[in-house]
């Protein structure tokens, strides 16, 4: 006797099952996007500085990488710290989340997992009651009086 045909799952079962895709988040705007960009720049300059140190100290071929990426990374490091503090205050991260974001600037490339974690958990989205300087999509700024 053949086995009964399996019934296709209902839409509710598909949407809430263990293999359901995560809910789509809106794209980052404003400070969240700025934080993400600066985190990537900080990581890129860290990688360049590490490559420069390899060329300077291991192969002993050139100091140009350390000269260039040392300056770039110094600026990116400071910019990342400032942006992280601004976003932490404006988006009300709390002390532990802020400390994790700031500490991520120290180990090489750690700003990338920190940015991914903050994005995934929704902490790079502006809180609904956060003050905004820019209009949202479809809004217009009030006319100057």
């Amino acid at each position: 006797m053949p086995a009964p045909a399996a019934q296709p799952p209902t839409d509710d079962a598909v949407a809430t099952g263990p293999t359901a895709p995560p809910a789509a988040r809106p794209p980052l705007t404003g400070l969240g996007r700025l934080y993400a960009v600066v985190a990537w720049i900080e990581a890129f300059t860290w990688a360049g500085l590490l490559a420069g140190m390899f060329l300077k100290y291991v192969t002993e071929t050139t100091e140009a990488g350390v000269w260039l990426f040392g300056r770039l990374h110094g600026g990116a490091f400071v910019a990342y710290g400032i942006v992280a503090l601004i976003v932490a205050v404006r988006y009300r991260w709390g002390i532990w989340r802020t400390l994790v974001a700031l500490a991520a600037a120290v180990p090489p490339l750690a700003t990338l997992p920190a940015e991914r974690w903050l994005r995934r958990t929704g902490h790079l989205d502006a809180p609904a009651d956060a003050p905004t300087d820019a209009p949202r999509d479809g809004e217009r700024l009030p006319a100057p009086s």
Side-chain angles (χ1 to χ4, degrees), residues 3 8 43 50 52 57 61 63-64 67 69 72 98 103 107 120 127 132-133:
L50 291 173
Y57 296 111
T61 55
E63 295 182 13
W67 180 87
F69 282 102
L72 292 175
T98 303
R120 183 177 41 84
T132 59
D133 295 335

Side-chain angles (χ1 to χ4, degrees), residues 14-112:
V14 172
T16 60
T19 60
R25 288 202 171 286
L28 296 178
T29 58
L31 288 175
R33 181 180 298 144
L34 177 64
Y35 174 86
V37 168
V38 173
W40 278 88
I41 291 170
E42 199 274 346
F44 175 76
T45 59
W46 235 133
L49 183 57
L50 291 173
M53 288 190 297
F54 178 82
L55 293 174
K56 180 178 179 179
Y57 296 111
V58 176
T59 65
E60 298 180 357
T61 55
T62 183
E63 295 182 13
V66 172
W67 180 87
L68 175 64
F69 282 102
R71 287 160 173 73
L72 292 175
H73 180 65
F77 179 85
V78 171
Y80 175 82
I82 291 169
V83 168
L85 287 173
I86 291 170
V87 175
V89 169
R90 294 285 301 270
Y91 287 5
R92 300 182 187 107
W93 279 356
I95 190 70
W96 294 111
R97 191 169 291 112
T98 303
L99 289 176
V100 167
L102 291 173
V106 178
L109 310 177
T111 56
L112 298 180

Side-chain angles (χ1 to χ4, degrees), residues 134-141:
R136 296 193 182 264
D137 291 339
E139 283 185 340
R140 293 182 181 254
L141 287 174

